[in-house]
Amino acid sequence: MFFADILETEGLGNRSYLAGGTRAAVVVDPPRDIDRVIAAATRRGVRIAAVAETHVHNDYVTGGLELARLTGARYLVPAWASVAYARVAVADGDVEEIDEGLVLRAVATPGHTPHHTSYVLEEKGRAVAAFTGGSLLIGSVGRPDLVEPRLTEQLARAQHASAHRLAAELADEVAVMPTHGFGSFCSAGQSGGERSTIGTEKAANPALLQDVETFVEELLAGLDDVPAYYAHMGPANAAGPAPVDLTVPERADAGEIARRLAAGEWVVDLRSRVAFSEGHVAGSFNFEVEGQLATYLAWMMPWGKPVTLLAQSAEDIARAQRELSRVGIDRPAAAAVGSPADWTGAGTPIASFPRATFADLAAARERGEESVVLDVRRDGERAGGWIEGSVHIPVHQVHQRLHEVPAGTVWVHCAGGMRAAIAASVLDASGRDVVAVDDGYAAAADAGLTLVTPVQH
């Protein structure tokens, strides 16, 4: 009897899979921190016989090359992918034996990338699961615009054809097991849900319900911003990533933190946004370890700039280090555990700023207080409506567009509070007076704030 275990990487919205039989297994699209994968295989009592990549990933650094080296597994990579290391070049229709009566069959599914390949797990000749990578997702498909702008429309059409190929060739009960789509920016639309099948996707996925022209038009119109660090992931994966190093970073004292800030390096406070607002090292930025740390820090931080991590516990430092390694931010320059009192020199004031709700903002406006409202949601979110008079700069652009924020106290909001806290910390570090709105956007209307709703054509 086969098994297919999900290995979740929640911060990036991705999944990897360990699938096999009683003795051996394949790992599909492994994360950079492969100790998790090896532990999962050990729990199952299986040997890793093969490691399979559906494509050269643009959103995270793979652990596939190192996992194959350590375990002696065959490393399956699509034949049309241009990579700098030895691998088993997989073409459409190729079959890899995993365990007795259990094989993996390659199915060319271009669209997310030109070389994208899905893998169908077959038990005694019957398809039981499809590892669809960035092709057919749960309720959506992988976005086609991450490779090259000139190829986007062509790849969107290929994505439609690939989804239809999978639906036509596989039975309705076959499990759909994608890599992307659980909050990943690699998804072209809303994608989620714990599990799905080919039959479920036939009934609900736009790629399988729309004609190609409608699908392509709507897909391209709905594409949102691409995280800046994606530009570095493909080249790293094609070159062959180095083994991950999760050893403890150098410890930083207050003097070291001050020197790094003075040098223009990034000092990142991983504590909750509540704790950060109440007191923090002046000049530091707040990226909560409980939030989408890797995505937003890697998106905003100048690539290659040293980063120092501050946290309440060594466990939070280790967790952040692991998450950041998955997107190629290796080895923090330094780290410190404790509180702002530990991280600032004697006589150095601890910085802070207020948090508020949308009701507080409405009350301030009613009192006639001069304020700037800064909306840091993405373009696609803003398109659904906004607070009248608000300024819009997506959170990942705030640090580059500080000069565009009008004078005055800045009330920063997003959809829920996490991104507002990031932007507020950036503004605070630049010397601006800020208020972080830690509230759900739906509360803006309830508070009596005037919302602008665009006319739908």
Side-chain angles (χ1 to χ4, degrees), residues 67-325:
L67 182 61
R69 186 187 70 80
L70 282 179
T71 62
R74 286 164 60 81
Y75 192 28
L76 315 180
V77 178
W80 291 104
S82 179
V83 295
Y85 44 81
R87 90 290 198 193
V88 178
V90 177
D92 186 50
D94 286 355
V95 173
E96 181 76 17
E97 184 175 354
I98 303 302
D99 204 347
E100 185 177 352
L102 201 63
V103 301
L104 199 68
R105 178 168 58 86
V107 180
T109 48
H112 187 49
T113 66
H115 60 264
H116 191 283
T117 300
S118 297
Y119 297 95
V120 176
L121 189 67
E122 298 179 348
E123 185 178 47
K124 296 179 180 177
R126 180 177 68 91
V128 290
F131 302 102
T132 55
S135 183
L136 184 66
L137 309 185
I138 299 177
S140 185
V141 294
R143 59 193 298 170
D145 61 328
L146 301 180
V147 177
E148 161 58 49
R150 292 171 297 176
L151 297 178
T152 297
E153 182 175 345
Q154 173 187 330
L155 288 176
R157 293 180 181 277
Q159 192 71 298
H160 185 269
S162 292
H164 280 261
R165 179 186 180 186
L166 290 169
E169 294 185 5
L170 299 174
D172 284 358
E173 65 269 18
V174 173
V176 174
M177 309 191 87
T179 300
H180 303 311
F182 310 93
S184 167
F185 283 89
C186 275
S187 175
Q190 286 296 322
S191 177
E194 281 303 303
R195 299 180 185 276
S196 189
T197 63
I198 290 292
T200 301
E201 294 308 305
K202 282 182 179 178
N205 196 311
L208 298 175
L209 296 173
Q210 297 174 331
D211 64 82
V212 64
E213 298 303 331
T214 303
F215 169 78
V216 170
E217 181 181 352
E218 293 190 5
L219 179 70
L220 299 185
L223 294 174
D224 213 331
D225 292 343
V226 178
Y229 71 89
Y230 276 26
H232 303 280
M233 301 297 95
N237 288 324
V244 69
D245 179 0
L246 297 177
T247 54
V248 177
E250 174 190 328
R251 182 181 175 277
D253 59 15
E256 178 75 4
I257 292 167
R259 285 191 294 274
R260 291 190 177 279
L261 281 168
E265 297 181 11
W266 278 40
V267 173
V268 172
D269 190 325
L270 301 168
R271 296 175 302 143
S272 74
R273 55 186 183 261
V274 175
F276 183 88
S277 68
E278 291 173 350
H280 55 268
V281 177
S284 63
F285 301 136
N286 182 213
F287 291 81
E288 295 174 295
V289 74
E290 296 292 342
Q292 288 179 279
L293 168 69
T295 294
Y296 284 102
L297 180 55
W299 197 340
M300 294 173 66
M301 192 175 78
W303 196 253
K305 187 176 279 285
V307 59
T308 295
L309 303 178
L310 310 179
Q312 284 181 307
S313 68
E315 290 76 18
D316 284 346
I317 295 290
R319 176 178 169 184
Q321 185 177 353
R322 179 178 289 269
E323 287 197 25
L324 294 176
S325 73

Side-chain angles (χ1 to χ4, degrees), residues 286-451:
N286 182 213
F287 291 81
E288 295 174 295
V289 74
E290 296 292 342
Q292 288 179 279
L293 168 69
T295 294
Y296 284 102
L297 180 55
W299 197 340
M300 294 173 66
M301 192 175 78
W303 196 253
K305 187 176 279 285
V307 59
T308 295
L309 303 178
L310 310 179
Q312 284 181 307
S313 68
E315 290 76 18
D316 284 346
I317 295 290
R319 176 178 169 184
Q321 185 177 353
R322 179 178 289 269
E323 287 197 25
L324 294 176
S325 73
R326 295 170 184 158
V327 292
I329 300 178
D330 291 342
R331 302 298 304 141
V337 171
S339 68
D342 304 311
W343 305 329
T344 52
T348 304
I350 294 173
S352 64
F353 55 76
R355 291 166 51 250
T357 64
F358 282 111
D360 295 327
L361 173 58
R365 282 188 159 186
E366 285 178 13
R367 292 193 298 268
E369 293 180 15
E370 290 291 328
S371 61
V372 177
V373 178
L374 178 63
D375 179 351
V376 298
R377 296 174 300 158
R378 295 189 303 278
D379 291 344
E381 296 170 283
R382 173 87 173 182
W386 58 87
I387 296 171
E388 185 178 53
S390 62
V391 177
H392 179 231
I393 303 176
V395 65
H396 56 275
Q397 298 176 7
V398 168
H399 62 302
Q400 298 168 325
R401 297 172 59 185
L402 289 168
H403 61 283
E404 297 179 33
V405 182
T409 299
V410 186
W411 292 65
V412 191
H413 83 85
C414 59
M418 180 194 76
R419 289 172 293 172
I422 294 172
S425 74
V426 172
L427 287 157
D428 174 74
S430 74
R432 297 297 300 269
D433 290 329
V434 296
V435 178
V437 178
D438 196 354
D439 205 356
Y441 182 69
D446 296 338
L449 292 165
T450 303
L451 303 187

